[in-house]
Every structure is written in C-alpha cells, then in structure tokens.
C-alpha cells in the first residue's frame, strides 16, 4: 500500500530546452518520412550547439527525400520553437546531415517475410503507467510541471510575455498524505529572459502561470517559490548548453513515479518498440484504471529483435487492484495484439504525428482528430471489464 505521508518531485523542460530542440527536430524528420511513406524506417539523432545542428542516423524511405529537405525541416522546427538569437538562429545555424541507409541486417530482422510476421526493431523492456491522481490519469507532479511550462510557452508565443525566451525548466514537489497529493511544498521555475529584465520581474511574470495551473490552495510558501535561482538566465538553448536527442526520457514519461525501460522515443519510427510498445503499455494501463480495476497500474512488456510476439507481459497494481494482476496479464494481450504490427495498426502509428510529442510529455495528452496521441484513448474500458468479469 502507498506510504502515508511523503514528498515527491518531478521536473519538466520546455520546447526550447537544448535536448527538447533535438527531440523536436528528430521527430520532425520521422514525420517527414512517414508523411511520404507510412512504411518508412527512421532512427535519427540530433545534436545542437551554438549555431550548429547535426543530424545523424539511418533511414529507409523514398529516395525523393534529400538531405536538403531534412535541413529545411530542421530549420522550420527551430523557427517554430522561437529561436532567432545570435547564438542559435533558425536561419543562421549551420545544419549538417549525416544520415545513411538502414542496416540490411536490422531490416531483415524487422521485415515480414513468408510465414514470419514483422519483428521488433530491437530488444528491450518498456513500461506503461496510469493512476488516479489527475483527470488525465497521470502522476500529479509531472502533470503540473508540464502544465506550468505549457502556460509560459503559450504566453510567449502569443506575445503576452515578450520578455521570455524559449528555454525553460520547472520542478514541482508535492506533499502526499494517505497516498494522495494535497499541496505543493516547493516550486522551481527557471526561464530564459531578455537582458533588460531583473530576477524580481521574471518572478512576477512566472507567478500567475504557476498559480493558475495548481489547484486552489496548493501554492507553496513564498520562500519555497524559486524563480531563476541563479539570478540571471539570458544565454539559453543550444547556445548555453549542448543538446542531444533522447536525454529527457523521464520528463517524457512519468516524472520518475513509474519505472522506465531506458529507451528514448524521439527520432524513431513505430517499428521501434522503444516507442510503440511504451505507447501500447500506457494505453493498456490507462484503460485498466479507467475501468475501475485499480488506483495505480504499471505494465511491463519485453521484446527480442526480429521476434513479433512479446516475451513477457507483467502487470502491477501496487495492491490497489480489485482483480489479480495475473488475470490482467493474461487478458490484456488477448484484448490487444502486442506485436509491433498489431500495436502500429491498433493505434494508427504509421502517420506523421510525432513532432507534437517532443515537448511536455508523450502521455497525459488529449487525443487529436488526426490520430495524434491515440494511445490516450479510453476505448478498451468495456472490453477489459468484460474480460475480467
């Protein structure tokens, strides 16, 4: 059972954080290829530093997609985030494209052939998680950490907060009593800003975005509200700190409240189970919670490269489940085909829907009409209830 009283902290980083810039570019490249060919294979990493962007990786897709097109996509992503600074500018940065063809050995293991179904693009373990702490069935600390930064980004893009820059981080510490979050004990927000703004001014720009996001009465004490603790944050983004794809995997998932298999999501097409199986596990866990079968649910699946079926399915309801985990572990793979092909087809993942996932979390989002965030749907609730009954 959950501990009675404790503190738990999660962090988020904004779309302009150096690592998130790289995630955004890598996912935009995935969208580029899938937009031309839903069966394209993509594994592209991005490095960004002072006015320099490097793309590297392997792909299999239409020959019509040229390095020049990939460069254009990268520049558009940086422009959309809002970087027009001397040290990192969407137009002035040098973009180097070092992308080559996918390994034939990997392709052989993944491709369907004869009686062999499409196999997993790699070995690995993936986790999904859901809980009742928020309406999105996400852990509260990461939910509010994301929400603060989304609010600041919306104000920046709309022109309501012109003094803010794209780079930002947040950290939320919540007090839990009887296993439930009841209020914040500390809030940390660091945001890039114009050179003409003082720390106290930035603090007051940030304050309403925190107050409006947190539930009423949850705001921490004034001396535990930290905004730009170093006092100054003018130089930011890849000019201030080198960025790489895939370095914010805990920000991308559950803020440390649940296990993570270790694989990053961004830059990978859905044959890579690091991404697609993690989405499937979240989808199942969320529907288990929505079905009223538990207060918390974690699901682990594992795969071997080239093998279509999962090697294992594990369910943990942390003692909150009305039904035995063993039963769920048996019925969930019957309700949903957990092969790479089955996941991709069930969730409609072979579409250009990934650039939007690169910031503010892959989970706890609203499903889009075009199929984005399809793993957040609650359309398995009845099937799970019937299978358990």
């Amino acid at each position: 059972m959950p501990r009675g009283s404790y503190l738990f902290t999660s962090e988020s980083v904004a779309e302009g954080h150096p690592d998130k810039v790289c995630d955004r570019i890598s996912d935009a490249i995935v969208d580029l290829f899938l937009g031309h060919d839903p069966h394209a294979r993509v594994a592209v990493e991005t490095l960004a530093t002072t006015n320099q962007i490097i793309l590297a990786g392997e792909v299999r897709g239409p020959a019509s997609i040229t390095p020049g097109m990939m460069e254009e996509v990268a520049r558009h992503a940086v422009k959309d985030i809002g970087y027009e600074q001397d040290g990192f500018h969407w137009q002035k940065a040098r973009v180097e494209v070092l992308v080559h063809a996918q390994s034939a050995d990997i392709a052989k293991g993944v491709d369907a052939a004869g009686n062999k179904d499409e196999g997993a693009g790699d070995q690995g373990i993936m986790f999904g998680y859901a809980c009742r702490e928020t309406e999105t069935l996400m852990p509260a600390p990461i939910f509010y950490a994301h929400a603060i930064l989304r609010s600041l980004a919306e104000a920046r893009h709309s022109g309501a907060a012109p003094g803010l820059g794209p780079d930002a981080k947040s950290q939320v510490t919540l007090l839990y009593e009887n296993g439930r979050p009841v209020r914040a004990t500390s809030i940390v927000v660091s945001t890039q800003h114009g050179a003409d703004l003082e720390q106290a001014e930035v603090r007051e720009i940030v304050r309403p975005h925190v107050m409006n996001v947190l539930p009423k009465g949850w705001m921490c004490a004034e001396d535990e509200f930290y905004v730009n603790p170093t006092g100054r944050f003018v130089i930011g983004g890849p000019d201030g700190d080198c960025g790489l794809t895939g370095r914010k995997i805990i920000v991308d998932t559950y803020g440390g409240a649940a296990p993570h298999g270790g694989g990053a999501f961004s830059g990978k097409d859905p044959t890579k189970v690091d991404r697609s199986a993690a989405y499937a596990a979240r989808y199942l866990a969320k529907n288990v919670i929505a079905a009223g079968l538990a207060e918390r649910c974690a699901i682990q699946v594992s795969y071997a490269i080239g093998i279509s079926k999962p090697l294992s399915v594990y369910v943990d309801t942390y003692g909150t489940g009305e039904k035995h985990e063993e039963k769920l572990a048996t019925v969930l793979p019957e309700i949903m085909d957990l092969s790479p092909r089955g996941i991709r087809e069930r969730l409609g993942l072979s579409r250009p829907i990934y650039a939007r996932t690169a910031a503010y979390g892959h989970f706890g989002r609203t499903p889009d009409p075009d199929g984005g965030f399809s793993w957040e749907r609650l359309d398995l609730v009845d099937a799970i209830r019937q299978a358990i009954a």
Side-chain angles (χ1 to χ4, degrees), residues 30-41 60-62 65 350:
V30 173
D31 285 352
L32 171 67
F33 275 86
L34 292 180
H36 283 75
D37 178 3
H39 302 292
R41 304 277 171 78
R60 188 178 76 183
I65 298 180
S350 297

Side-chain angles (χ1 to χ4, degrees), residues 10-231:
S10 294
E11 70 159 346
S12 179
V13 297
E15 63 196 73
H17 183 279
D19 295 332
K20 281 291 147 199
V21 171
C22 294
D23 285 346
R24 172 68 174 273
I25 293 171
S26 292
D27 275 337
I29 298 298
V30 173
D31 285 352
L32 171 67
F33 275 86
L34 292 180
H36 283 75
D37 178 3
H39 302 292
R41 304 277 171 78
V42 186
V44 170
E45 315 295 337
T46 303
L47 178 149
T49 185
T50 302
N51 273 331
Q52 176 80 47
I53 299 168
I54 298 173
L55 307 181
E58 54 279 349
V59 298
R60 188 178 76 183
S64 58
I65 298 180
T66 64
M69 292 172 68
M70 287 186 262
E71 176 182 340
E72 183 180 354
V73 164
R75 291 190 187 279
H76 177 78
V78 174
K79 181 181 181 181
D80 192 57
I81 292 169
Y83 274 111
E84 294 187 347
Q85 301 168 2
D86 289 340
F88 196 68
H89 194 292
W90 67 271
Q91 199 170 29
K92 298 175 183 178
R94 180 186 175 201
V95 179
E96 190 171 0
V97 180
L98 306 174
V99 176
H100 58 82
Q102 183 188 51
S103 161
D105 292 341
I106 293 176
K108 182 178 179 181
V110 175
D111 290 343
N115 293 326
K116 175 186 174 297
D117 194 7
E118 183 179 293
D122 202 354
Q123 71 175 48
I125 57 174
M126 298 83 208
F127 287 91
Y129 180 76
C131 63
R132 293 195 180 279
E133 293 179 14
T134 62
E135 291 184 358
T136 61
L137 304 185
M138 286 289 288
I142 189 68
F143 174 83
Y144 293 117
H146 285 324
I148 290 167
L149 294 186
R150 279 200 306 270
S151 181
L152 288 169
E154 289 167 1
R156 177 174 60 86
H157 283 296
S158 72
L164 300 184
D167 196 357
K169 302 177 75 171
S170 66
Q171 185 170 287
V172 174
T173 301
L174 299 184
L175 170 65
Y176 282 70
E177 292 181 350
N178 299 316
R180 303 291 294 180
V182 295
R183 64 179 176 86
T185 60
S186 66
I187 302 288
V188 184
V189 179
S190 295
T191 180
Q192 189 180 13
H193 59 87
D196 58 332
L197 288 178
E198 298 296 328
Q199 183 183 21
E201 294 175 287
V202 177
R203 183 185 184 90
E204 295 314 308
I205 293 173
V206 169
R207 185 189 300 277
H209 295 277
V210 176
M211 297 287 290
N212 292 338
V213 159
L214 293 176
K216 186 177 181 179
W218 277 39
M219 185 61 178
C220 63
E222 188 66 16
D223 61 355
E224 292 290 336
F225 178 41
Y226 304 97
V227 176
N228 287 7
T230 63

